[in-house]
Amino acid sequence: MTLRDFSRSLPMLLLRSHQAVMAEFRPILRAHGITDTQWRVLRALTTADAVRIRQLAQLTLISGPSLTRILKSLEERGLLERSTEPDDQRAARITITPAGRSLIETVAPHSEARYQGLADRIGTADLDTLYRLLAELPQRLERTRR
């Protein structure tokens, strides 16, 4: 059997696409003193009042050791805070602080402008199709593994 052409490698195409999209957003994040992984954590924290570290790792797809470093840095900057679970003193709950929400609100208009720029260049219909296909991909693959 012949190996498919490298230009048709789905993992590589997804990685290249990720890098191309992040190249649009990194300058905004850098201008506000934040990395893309820190932004991912803060954005995830806007979706819930408080989350456990394990849940946050699952939401953001960041490994435990990396997430620990990111949380420490964001906590030192006052963008998030940790508290212990009332029923389990070993479990930490992570919440975004008002300063973290303020940063999100400051960056949001710039981020949304970039999204609009992407839609203008790619086309709204194609971008919507891309969102739908990418959102469905993990579930479709999971179903077929069973």
Side-chain angles (χ1 to χ4, degrees):
M1 179 188 316
T2 306
L3 192 61
R4 75 179 46 244
D5 189 86
F6 190 59
S7 67
R8 298 283 296 172
S9 166
L10 185 57
M12 286 306 301
L13 287 169
L14 290 169
L15 283 170
R16 281 191 186 103
S17 296
H18 174 263
Q19 290 302 319
V21 169
M22 288 313 300
E24 298 289 321
F25 291 92
R26 279 191 188 110
I28 296 167
L29 300 176
R30 279 195 200 113
H32 291 89
I34 194 160
T35 67
D36 50 317
T37 52
Q38 290 171 334
W39 176 253
R40 198 179 331 161
V41 168
L42 291 172
R43 285 285 287 126
L45 291 172
T46 65
T47 65
D49 289 335
V51 296
R52 287 186 172 194
I53 292 176
R54 176 176 282 172
Q55 181 187 8
L56 189 56
Q58 291 170 341
L59 283 170
T60 60
L61 302 175
I62 299 172
S63 70
S66 293
L67 184 57
T68 298
R69 284 191 305 277
I70 293 165
L71 293 176
K72 183 176 189 275
S73 172
L74 292 172
E75 189 175 22
E76 287 171 354
R77 291 179 59 188
L79 301 174
L80 62 79
E81 57 189 24
R82 298 177 205 233
S83 59
T84 56
E85 287 279 355
D87 57 333
D88 183 354
Q89 296 297 308
R90 296 168 295 159
R93 293 171 53 88
I94 309 299
T95 56
I96 191 167
T97 63
R101 288 195 187 280
S102 177
L103 178 62
I104 294 283
E105 290 171 13
T106 299
V107 174
H110 304 287
S111 177
E112 288 305 312
R114 291 294 166 105
Y115 275 112
Q116 185 58 54
L118 291 172
D120 293 344
R121 289 184 287 172
I122 295 170
T124 303
D126 283 347
L127 190 56
D128 287 343
T129 299
L130 184 59
Y131 276 123
R132 183 182 54 77
L133 291 172
L134 289 173
E136 291 174 2
L137 184 61
Q139 291 83 9
R140 286 185 179 190
L141 293 176
E142 180 64 29
R143 272 196 311 260
T144 60
R145 278 196 298 267
R146 292 181 186 162

